[in-house]
PDB file of all heavy atoms in Angstrom:
ATOM      1  N   GLU A 305       0.812  -1.220   0.000  1.00 86.00           N
ATOM      2  CA  GLU A 305       0.000   0.000   0.000  1.00 86.00           C
ATOM      3  C   GLU A 305       0.846   1.272   0.000  1.00 86.00           C
ATOM      4  O   GLU A 305       0.374   2.326  -0.414  1.00 86.00           O
ATOM      5  CB  GLU A 305      -0.926  -0.001   1.210  1.00 86.00           C
ATOM      6  CG  GLU A 305      -1.968  -1.128   1.186  1.00 86.00           C
ATOM      7  CD  GLU A 305      -2.856  -1.101   2.413  1.00 86.00           C
ATOM      8  OE1 GLU A 305      -2.631  -0.223   3.283  1.00 86.00           O
ATOM      9  OE2 GLU A 305      -3.775  -1.940   2.510  1.00 86.00           O
ATOM     10  N   GLU A 306       2.083   1.173   0.456  1.00 91.00           N
ATOM     11  CA  GLU A 306       2.921   2.364   0.566  1.00 91.00           C
ATOM     12  C   GLU A 306       3.672   2.695  -0.723  1.00 91.00           C
ATOM     13  O   GLU A 306       4.398   3.680  -0.778  1.00 91.00           O
ATOM     14  CB  GLU A 306       3.930   2.185   1.709  1.00 91.00           C
ATOM     15  CG  GLU A 306       3.275   2.056   3.079  1.00 91.00           C
ATOM     16  CD  GLU A 306       4.302   1.893   4.184  1.00 91.00           C
ATOM     17  OE1 GLU A 306       5.501   1.763   3.856  1.00 91.00           O
ATOM     18  OE2 GLU A 306       3.902   1.909   5.348  1.00 91.00           O
ATOM     19  N   ARG A 307       3.514   1.865  -1.747  1.00 92.00           N
ATOM     20  CA  ARG A 307       4.286   2.087  -2.970  1.00 92.00           C
ATOM     21  C   ARG A 307       4.011   3.456  -3.585  1.00 92.00           C
ATOM     22  O   ARG A 307       4.949   4.161  -3.992  1.00 92.00           O
ATOM     23  CB  ARG A 307       4.008   0.994  -4.000  1.00 92.00           C
ATOM     24  CG  ARG A 307       4.641   1.302  -5.366  1.00 92.00           C
ATOM     25  CD  ARG A 307       4.432   0.211  -6.367  1.00 92.00           C
ATOM     26  NE  ARG A 307       5.345  -0.904  -6.118  1.00 92.00           N
ATOM     27  CZ  ARG A 307       5.369  -2.005  -6.882  1.00 92.00           C
ATOM     28  NH1 ARG A 307       4.511  -2.141  -7.880  1.00 92.00           N
ATOM     29  NH2 ARG A 307       6.233  -2.959  -6.618  1.00 92.00           N
ATOM     30  N   ALA A 308       2.733   3.855  -3.661  1.00 92.00           N
ATOM     31  CA  ALA A 308       2.412   5.136  -4.290  1.00 92.00           C
ATOM     32  C   ALA A 308       3.105   6.287  -3.566  1.00 92.00           C
ATOM     33  O   ALA A 308       3.661   7.197  -4.204  1.00 92.00           O
ATOM     34  CB  ALA A 308       0.898   5.352  -4.312  1.00 92.00           C
ATOM     35  N   GLN A 309       3.096   6.255  -2.236  1.00 94.00           N
ATOM     36  CA  GLN A 309       3.767   7.308  -1.475  1.00 94.00           C
ATOM     37  C   GLN A 309       5.274   7.240  -1.660  1.00 94.00           C
ATOM     38  O   GLN A 309       5.943   8.275  -1.785  1.00 94.00           O
ATOM     39  CB  GLN A 309       3.425   7.185   0.015  1.00 94.00           C
ATOM     40  CG  GLN A 309       4.044   8.273   0.885  1.00 94.00           C
ATOM     41  CD  GLN A 309       3.608   9.667   0.468  1.00 94.00           C
ATOM     42  OE1 GLN A 309       2.410   9.938   0.324  1.00 94.00           O
ATOM     43  NE2 GLN A 309       4.564  10.560   0.263  1.00 94.00           N
ATOM     44  N   ASN A 310       5.812   6.022  -1.708  1.00 93.00           N
ATOM     45  CA  ASN A 310       7.258   5.870  -1.902  1.00 93.00           C
ATOM     46  C   ASN A 310       7.690   6.402  -3.261  1.00 93.00           C
ATOM     47  O   ASN A 310       8.765   6.988  -3.397  1.00 93.00           O
ATOM     48  CB  ASN A 310       7.657   4.398  -1.757  1.00 93.00           C
ATOM     49  CG  ASN A 310       7.576   3.915  -0.321  1.00 93.00           C
ATOM     50  OD1 ASN A 310       7.729   4.698   0.622  1.00 93.00           O
ATOM     51  ND2 ASN A 310       7.336   2.628  -0.132  1.00 93.00           N
ATOM     52  N   LEU A 311       6.863   6.199  -4.273  1.00 94.00           N
ATOM     53  CA  LEU A 311       7.180   6.750  -5.593  1.00 94.00           C
ATOM     54  C   LEU A 311       7.118   8.268  -5.582  1.00 94.00           C
ATOM     55  O   LEU A 311       7.950   8.939  -6.207  1.00 94.00           O
ATOM     56  CB  LEU A 311       6.224   6.183  -6.644  1.00 94.00           C
ATOM     57  CG  LEU A 311       6.512   4.739  -7.105  1.00 94.00           C
ATOM     58  CD1 LEU A 311       5.345   4.191  -7.915  1.00 94.00           C
ATOM     59  CD2 LEU A 311       7.801   4.682  -7.919  1.00 94.00           C
ATOM     60  N   ARG A 312       6.138   8.829  -4.866  1.00 94.00           N
ATOM     61  CA  ARG A 312       6.078  10.300  -4.745  1.00 94.00           C
ATOM     62  C   ARG A 312       7.315  10.829  -4.025  1.00 94.00           C
ATOM     63  O   ARG A 312       7.883  11.860  -4.411  1.00 94.00           O
ATOM     64  CB  ARG A 312       4.804  10.708  -3.990  1.00 94.00           C
ATOM     65  CG  ARG A 312       3.537  10.603  -4.831  1.00 94.00           C
ATOM     66  CD  ARG A 312       2.372  11.316  -4.169  1.00 94.00           C
ATOM     67  NE  ARG A 312       1.927  10.625  -2.962  1.00 94.00           N
ATOM     68  CZ  ARG A 312       1.009   9.664  -2.938  1.00 94.00           C
ATOM     69  NH1 ARG A 312       0.431   9.277  -4.075  1.00 94.00           N
ATOM     70  NH2 ARG A 312       0.649   9.102  -1.791  1.00 94.00           N
ATOM     71  N   ASP A 313       7.750  10.117  -2.983  1.00 93.00           N
ATOM     72  CA  ASP A 313       8.964  10.526  -2.265  1.00 93.00           C
ATOM     73  C   ASP A 313      10.186  10.455  -3.166  1.00 93.00           C
ATOM     74  O   ASP A 313      11.070  11.333  -3.101  1.00 93.00           O
ATOM     75  CB  ASP A 313       9.164   9.641  -1.038  1.00 93.00           C
ATOM     76  CG  ASP A 313       8.108   9.869   0.036  1.00 93.00           C
ATOM     77  OD1 ASP A 313       7.453  10.924   0.000  1.00 93.00           O
ATOM     78  OD2 ASP A 313       7.947   8.982   0.908  1.00 93.00           O
ATOM     79  N   LEU A 314      10.228   9.415  -3.997  1.00 94.00           N
ATOM     80  CA  LEU A 314      11.350   9.274  -4.929  1.00 94.00           C
ATOM     81  C   LEU A 314      11.372  10.438  -5.911  1.00 94.00           C
ATOM     82  O   LEU A 314      12.435  11.020  -6.183  1.00 94.00           O
ATOM     83  CB  LEU A 314      11.245   7.940  -5.672  1.00 94.00           C
ATOM     84  CG  LEU A 314      12.314   7.665  -6.736  1.00 94.00           C
ATOM     85  CD1 LEU A 314      13.704   7.594  -6.110  1.00 94.00           C
ATOM     86  CD2 LEU A 314      12.002   6.365  -7.492  1.00 94.00           C
ATOM     87  N   ARG A 315      10.205  10.803  -6.439  1.00 95.00           N
ATOM     88  CA  ARG A 315      10.147  11.947  -7.363  1.00 95.00           C
ATOM     89  C   ARG A 315      10.606  13.227  -6.676  1.00 95.00           C
ATOM     90  O   ARG A 315      11.320  14.043  -7.263  1.00 95.00           O
ATOM     91  CB  ARG A 315       8.720  12.112  -7.907  1.00 95.00           C
ATOM     92  CG  ARG A 315       8.282  11.005  -8.850  1.00 95.00           C
ATOM     93  CD  ARG A 315       7.066  11.406  -9.662  1.00 95.00           C
ATOM     94  NE  ARG A 315       5.898  11.673  -8.837  1.00 95.00           N
ATOM     95  CZ  ARG A 315       5.018  10.741  -8.459  1.00 95.00           C
ATOM     96  NH1 ARG A 315       5.200   9.480  -8.822  1.00 95.00           N
ATOM     97  NH2 ARG A 315       3.966  11.074  -7.738  1.00 95.00           N
ATOM     98  N   SER A 316      10.202  13.388  -5.422  1.00 95.00           N
ATOM     99  CA  SER A 316      10.608  14.594  -4.686  1.00 95.00           C
ATOM    100  C   SER A 316      12.114  14.636  -4.490  1.00 95.00           C
ATOM    101  O   SER A 316      12.747  15.697  -4.606  1.00 95.00           O
ATOM    102  CB  SER A 316       9.900  14.626  -3.326  1.00 95.00           C
ATOM    103  OG  SER A 316       8.504  14.759  -3.481  1.00 95.00           O
ATOM    104  N   GLU A 317      12.699  13.479  -4.193  1.00 92.00           N
ATOM    105  CA  GLU A 317      14.157  13.397  -4.019  1.00 92.00           C
ATOM    106  C   GLU A 317      14.873  13.756  -5.317  1.00 92.00           C
ATOM    107  O   GLU A 317      15.871  14.479  -5.312  1.00 92.00           O
ATOM    108  CB  GLU A 317      14.554  12.001  -3.564  1.00 92.00           C
ATOM    109  CG  GLU A 317      14.139  11.643  -2.148  1.00 92.00           C
ATOM    110  CD  GLU A 317      15.237  11.927  -1.132  1.00 92.00           C
ATOM    111  OE1 GLU A 317      16.335  12.344  -1.538  1.00 92.00           O
ATOM    112  OE2 GLU A 317      14.974  11.716   0.064  1.00 92.00           O
ATOM    113  N   MET A 318      14.367  13.251  -6.425  1.00 94.00           N
ATOM    114  CA  MET A 318      14.992  13.532  -7.717  1.00 94.00           C
ATOM    115  C   MET A 318      14.877  15.022  -8.057  1.00 94.00           C
ATOM    116  O   MET A 318      15.831  15.629  -8.565  1.00 94.00           O
ATOM    117  CB  MET A 318      14.328  12.689  -8.810  1.00 94.00           C
ATOM    118  CG  MET A 318      14.535  11.188  -8.648  1.00 94.00           C
ATOM    119  SD  MET A 318      16.246  10.670  -8.912  1.00 94.00           S
ATOM    120  CE  MET A 318      16.208  10.229 -10.634  1.00 94.00           C
ATOM    121  N   THR A 319      13.718  15.597  -7.778  1.00 96.00           N
ATOM    122  CA  THR A 319      13.529  17.034  -8.030  1.00 96.00           C
ATOM    123  C   THR A 319      14.494  17.869  -7.186  1.00 96.00           C
ATOM    124  O   THR A 319      15.120  18.811  -7.687  1.00 96.00           O
ATOM    125  CB  THR A 319      12.086  17.446  -7.714  1.00 96.00           C
ATOM    126  OG1 THR A 319      11.181  16.669  -8.488  1.00 96.00           O
ATOM    127  CG2 THR A 319      11.865  18.924  -8.001  1.00 96.00           C
ATOM    128  N   ALA A 320      14.613  17.498  -5.927  1.00 94.00           N
ATOM    129  CA  ALA A 320      15.499  18.248  -5.029  1.00 94.00           C
ATOM    130  C   ALA A 320      16.948  18.147  -5.484  1.00 94.00           C
ATOM    131  O   ALA A 320      17.691  19.149  -5.459  1.00 94.00           O
ATOM    132  CB  ALA A 320      15.351  17.712  -3.606  1.00 94.00           C
ATOM    133  N   LEU A 321      17.361  16.957  -5.926  1.00 94.00           N
ATOM    134  CA  LEU A 321      18.733  16.779  -6.383  1.00 94.00           C
ATOM    135  C   LEU A 321      18.986  17.588  -7.652  1.00 94.00           C
ATOM    136  O   LEU A 321      20.038  18.225  -7.802  1.00 94.00           O
ATOM    137  CB  LEU A 321      19.015  15.297  -6.632  1.00 94.00           C
ATOM    138  CG  LEU A 321      20.463  14.900  -6.891  1.00 94.00           C
ATOM    139  CD1 LEU A 321      21.349  15.277  -5.716  1.00 94.00           C
ATOM    140  CD2 LEU A 321      20.562  13.398  -7.161  1.00 94.00           C
ATOM    141  N   ARG A 322      17.999  17.607  -8.554  1.00 95.00           N
ATOM    142  CA  ARG A 322      18.152  18.408  -9.779  1.00 95.00           C
ATOM    143  C   ARG A 322      18.285  19.887  -9.457  1.00 95.00           C
ATOM    144  O   ARG A 322      19.125  20.591 -10.042  1.00 95.00           O
ATOM    145  CB  ARG A 322      16.963  18.181 -10.708  1.00 95.00           C
ATOM    146  CG  ARG A 322      16.931  19.139 -11.897  1.00 95.00           C
ATOM    147  CD  ARG A 322      15.834  18.799 -12.884  1.00 95.00           C
ATOM    148  NE  ARG A 322      14.514  18.778 -12.282  1.00 95.00           N
ATOM    149  CZ  ARG A 322      13.763  19.837 -12.060  1.00 95.00           C
ATOM    150  NH1 ARG A 322      14.220  21.062 -12.361  1.00 95.00           N
ATOM    151  NH2 ARG A 322      12.552  19.720 -11.535  1.00 95.00           N
ATOM    152  N   LYS A 323      17.479  20.379  -8.529  1.00 96.00           N
ATOM    153  CA  LYS A 323      17.529  21.805  -8.180  1.00 96.00           C
ATOM    154  C   LYS A 323      18.856  22.160  -7.516  1.00 96.00           C
ATOM    155  O   LYS A 323      19.405  23.247  -7.756  1.00 96.00           O
ATOM    156  CB  LYS A 323      16.352  22.152  -7.278  1.00 96.00           C
ATOM    157  CG  LYS A 323      15.018  22.150  -8.014  1.00 96.00           C
ATOM    158  CD  LYS A 323      13.865  22.539  -7.112  1.00 96.00           C
ATOM    159  CE  LYS A 323      12.553  22.605  -7.897  1.00 96.00           C
ATOM    160  NZ  LYS A 323      11.410  22.954  -7.020  1.00 96.00           N
ATOM    161  N   LYS A 324      19.386  21.255  -6.709  1.00 95.00           N
ATOM    162  CA  LYS A 324      20.709  21.490  -6.120  1.00 95.00           C
ATOM    163  C   LYS A 324      21.760  21.619  -7.213  1.00 95.00           C
ATOM    164  O   LYS A 324      22.642  22.485  -7.153  1.00 95.00           O
ATOM    165  CB  LYS A 324      21.076  20.347  -5.176  1.00 95.00           C
ATOM    166  CG  LYS A 324      20.382  20.368  -3.826  1.00 95.00           C
ATOM    167  CD  LYS A 324      20.879  19.221  -2.966  1.00 95.00           C
ATOM    168  CE  LYS A 324      20.197  19.223  -1.604  1.00 95.00           C
ATOM    169  NZ  LYS A 324      20.661  18.092  -0.761  1.00 95.00           N
ATOM    170  N   ARG A 325      21.668  20.740  -8.206  1.00 94.00           N
ATOM    171  CA  ARG A 325      22.640  20.791  -9.305  1.00 94.00           C
ATOM    172  C   ARG A 325      22.507  22.089 -10.080  1.00 94.00           C
ATOM    173  O   ARG A 325      23.508  22.708 -10.470  1.00 94.00           O
ATOM    174  CB  ARG A 325      22.421  19.604 -10.251  1.00 94.00           C
ATOM    175  CG  ARG A 325      23.497  19.487 -11.339  1.00 94.00           C
ATOM    176  CD  ARG A 325      22.981  18.788 -12.555  1.00 94.00           C
ATOM    177  NE  ARG A 325      21.914  19.543 -13.187  1.00 94.00           N
ATOM    178  CZ  ARG A 325      21.249  19.134 -14.271  1.00 94.00           C
ATOM    179  NH1 ARG A 325      21.516  17.955 -14.797  1.00 94.00           N
ATOM    180  NH2 ARG A 325      20.304  19.886 -14.803  1.00 94.00           N
ATOM    181  N   GLU A 326      21.287  22.547 -10.317  1.00 95.00           N
ATOM    182  CA  GLU A 326      21.068  23.771 -11.081  1.00 95.00           C
ATOM    183  C   GLU A 326      21.631  25.000 -10.364  1.00 95.00           C
ATOM    184  O   GLU A 326      22.022  25.975 -11.016  1.00 95.00           O
ATOM    185  CB  GLU A 326      19.568  23.952 -11.327  1.00 95.00           C
ATOM    186  CG  GLU A 326      18.993  22.926 -12.300  1.00 95.00           C
ATOM    187  CD  GLU A 326      17.475  22.966 -12.367  1.00 95.00           C
ATOM    188  OE1 GLU A 326      16.855  23.636 -11.515  1.00 95.00           O
ATOM    189  OE2 GLU A 326      16.909  22.321 -13.279  1.00 95.00           O
ATOM    190  N   GLN A 327      21.687  24.941  -9.049  1.00 96.00           N
ATOM    191  CA  GLN A 327      22.164  26.083  -8.265  1.00 96.00           C
ATOM    192  C   GLN A 327      23.643  25.989  -7.901  1.00 96.00           C
ATOM    193  O   GLN A 327      24.219  26.961  -7.414  1.00 96.00           O
ATOM    194  CB  GLN A 327      21.328  26.187  -6.984  1.00 96.00           C
ATOM    195  CG  GLN A 327      19.855  26.470  -7.232  1.00 96.00           C
ATOM    196  CD  GLN A 327      18.982  26.250  -6.017  1.00 96.00           C
ATOM    197  OE1 GLN A 327      19.488  25.923  -4.946  1.00 96.00           O
ATOM    198  NE2 GLN A 327      17.674  26.431  -6.160  1.00 96.00           N
ATOM    199  N   ALA A 328      24.246  24.832  -8.140  1.00 95.00           N
ATOM    200  CA  ALA A 328      25.623  24.601  -7.693  1.00 95.00           C
ATOM    201  C   ALA A 328      26.643  25.234  -8.630  1.00 95.00           C
ATOM    202  O   ALA A 328      26.377  25.487  -9.810  1.00 95.00           O
ATOM    203  CB  ALA A 328      25.888  23.105  -7.579  1.00 95.00           C
ATOM    204  N   THR A 329      27.816  25.479  -8.095  1.00 95.00           N
ATOM    205  CA  THR A 329      28.955  25.976  -8.878  1.00 95.00           C
ATOM    206  C   THR A 329      30.212  25.240  -8.434  1.00 95.00           C
ATOM    207  O   THR A 329      30.221  24.543  -7.414  1.00 95.00           O
ATOM    208  CB  THR A 329      29.152  27.492  -8.665  1.00 95.00           C
ATOM    209  OG1 THR A 329      29.371  27.732  -7.255  1.00 95.00           O
ATOM    210  CG2 THR A 329      27.940  28.273  -9.140  1.00 95.00           C
ATOM    211  N   GLY A 330      31.277  25.411  -9.205  1.00 92.00           N
ATOM    212  CA  GLY A 330      32.572  24.868  -8.818  1.00 92.00           C
ATOM    213  C   GLY A 330      32.567  23.365  -8.635  1.00 92.00           C
ATOM    214  O   GLY A 330      31.916  22.617  -9.366  1.00 92.00           O
ATOM    215  N   GLU A 331      33.296  22.898  -7.622  1.00 92.00           N
ATOM    216  CA  GLU A 331      33.422  21.468  -7.373  1.00 92.00           C
ATOM    217  C   GLU A 331      32.109  20.845  -6.917  1.00 92.00           C
ATOM    218  O   GLU A 331      31.862  19.656  -7.151  1.00 92.00           O
ATOM    219  CB  GLU A 331      34.523  21.204  -6.342  1.00 92.00           C
ATOM    220  CG  GLU A 331      35.916  21.559  -6.831  1.00 92.00           C
ATOM    221  CD  GLU A 331      36.281  20.861  -8.128  1.00 92.00           C
ATOM    222  OE1 GLU A 331      36.076  19.626  -8.225  1.00 92.00           O
ATOM    223  OE2 GLU A 331      36.750  21.536  -9.062  1.00 92.00           O
TER     224      GLU A 331
END
């Protein structure tokens, strides 16, 4: 039953990681 929520959490993690990359500089 928790799969749908786990997939939403996974999408949120991926979005957060992408935004960190977009804002990052240097090393």
Side-chain angles (χ1 to χ4, degrees):
E305 295 179 358
E306 296 181 354
R307 172 177 282 181
Q309 182 59 51
N310 289 332
L311 283 168
R312 284 194 291 271
D313 292 341
L314 177 63
R315 291 197 298 272
S316 295
E317 290 266 357
M318 295 292 266
T319 303
L321 190 59
R322 171 174 57 82
K323 289 182 177 179
K324 284 183 180 179
R325 187 206 64 182
E326 290 171 349
Q327 297 166 3
T329 59
E331 294 305 312

